[in-house]
Amino acid sequence: MKDPIIEEVRANRAALTRECGGTLKSFLAQERDFFAHWKGKKITKPLHPEWHAPSRVGAVAEAPADYGKAKE
């Protein structure tokens, strides 16, 4: 049985290993360069097009329940 998430993780791991030449030292150097480049930067656009910030704190996706209330 193949799990698509596991397969994606393994593919990403293999790609990183190829990029870094298979050594932890080169991987850590690449990571340091990445963090040095992005340090202090802010994300101003959502990462996913369907993501929207909540309109208020504590907002929920469901309508409020109407327990015991008579329907009009």
Side-chain angles (χ1 to χ4, degrees):
M1 178 172 154
K2 287 194 171 194
D3 184 349
I5 295 173
I6 299 293
E7 295 301 317
E8 183 178 353
V9 167
R10 288 178 179 162
N12 288 336
R13 185 184 302 148
L16 282 171
T17 302
R18 282 192 304 275
E19 288 176 16
C20 298
T23 65
L24 182 60
K25 186 175 182 177
S26 60
F27 174 76
L28 294 175
Q30 182 181 13
E31 186 178 61
R32 277 193 303 275
D33 291 343
F34 175 81
F35 285 122
H37 176 75
W38 289 102
K39 183 180 179 183
K41 303 248 179 5
K42 295 181 181 176
I43 297 173
T44 57
K45 294 183 181 179
L47 299 175
H48 193 278
E50 293 179 11
W51 183 85
H52 300 286
S55 61
R56 64 181 196 275
V57 176
V60 295
E62 300 173 352
D66 58 348
Y67 301 111
K69 294 182 181 176
K71 301 267 183 188
E72 294 179 16

